[in-house]
């Protein structure tokens, strides 16, 4: 359990954001490398499965997975628009449940978001 606490403190909490209404969220593109995904296409498939689980549970997908667009640098001072998501804690929980459980970071994320989500209920 100490390993989960240490991992949580150095990762999941570090990338948590708070919006102007005091709601917490995580950006999908920041969560992706913490869960050991190197390609957006692969991680986006996990997000899509999590969205299906959210909808099947009679939750409003846009409440937990709002899509945002932001400009990112692609080199030589050039920028392009890219898709990201502002994920609720519940969305993160669903993502780690649908991610590759063979990855240690995913297993730790499953425990972290399960415990943290339960605290809010």
């Amino acid at each position: 359990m100490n390993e989960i606490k240490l991992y949580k403190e150095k990762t999941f909490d570090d990338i948590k954001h708070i919006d102007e209404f005091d709601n917490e969220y995580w950006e999908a593109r920041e969560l992706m490398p913490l869960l050991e995904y190197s390609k957006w296409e692969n991680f986006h498939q996990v997000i899509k499965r999590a969205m299906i689980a959210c909808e099947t549970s009679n939750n409003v997908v846009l409440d937990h997975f709002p899509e945002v667009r932001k400009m990112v640098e692609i080199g030589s001072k050039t920028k392009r628009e890219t898709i990201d998501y502002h994920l609720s804690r519940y969305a993160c929980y669903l993502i780690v449940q649908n991610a590759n459980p063979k990855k240690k970071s995913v297993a730790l994320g499953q425990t972290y978001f399960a415990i943290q989500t339960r605290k809010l209920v």
Side-chain angles (χ1 to χ4, degrees):
M1 198 63 147
N2 285 340
E3 186 177 359
I4 292 166
K5 183 178 181 185
L6 180 64
Y7 190 80
K8 167 194 83 119
E9 289 171 357
K10 290 187 176 178
T11 57
F12 300 119
D13 284 346
D14 287 345
I15 64 166
K16 179 173 66 173
H17 300 271
I18 307 292
D19 69 14
E20 66 273 13
F21 302 108
D22 225 21
N23 297 312
E24 61 185 14
Y25 68 92
W26 286 259
E27 292 184 359
R29 290 188 183 265
E30 291 179 344
L31 183 62
M32 181 181 81
L34 294 183
L35 297 177
E36 300 176 58
Y37 283 85
S38 57
K39 294 184 179 179
W40 174 253
E41 295 79 16
N42 296 338
F43 191 61
H44 198 231
Q45 291 302 317
V46 175
I47 293 171
K48 288 179 182 179
R49 287 194 301 271
M51 287 177 167
I52 291 168
C54 182
E55 186 174 39
T56 303
S57 300
N58 294 321
N59 288 289
V60 178
V61 172
L62 290 176
D63 288 350
H64 299 282
F65 298 85
E67 186 177 298
V68 294
R69 302 208 176 241
K70 60 184 181 182
M71 299 301 286
V72 295
E73 283 192 33
I74 58 172
S76 65
K77 299 181 183 179
T78 306
K79 292 185 177 186
R80 73 175 166 141
E81 188 177 68
T82 188
I83 295 172
D84 203 348
Y85 296 92
H86 284 181
L87 306 166
S88 70
R89 186 178 293 272
Y90 177 61
C92 291
Y93 171 77
L94 292 175
I95 286 170
V96 295
Q97 294 303 316
N98 283 280
N100 184 344
K102 293 180 182 177
K103 297 178 180 188
K104 187 173 186 175
S105 59
V106 170
L108 292 170
Q110 288 172 340
T111 303
Y112 169 74
F113 285 108
I115 290 169
Q116 295 302 316
T117 301
R118 197 173 319 152
K119 283 183 181 178
L120 298 175
V121 178

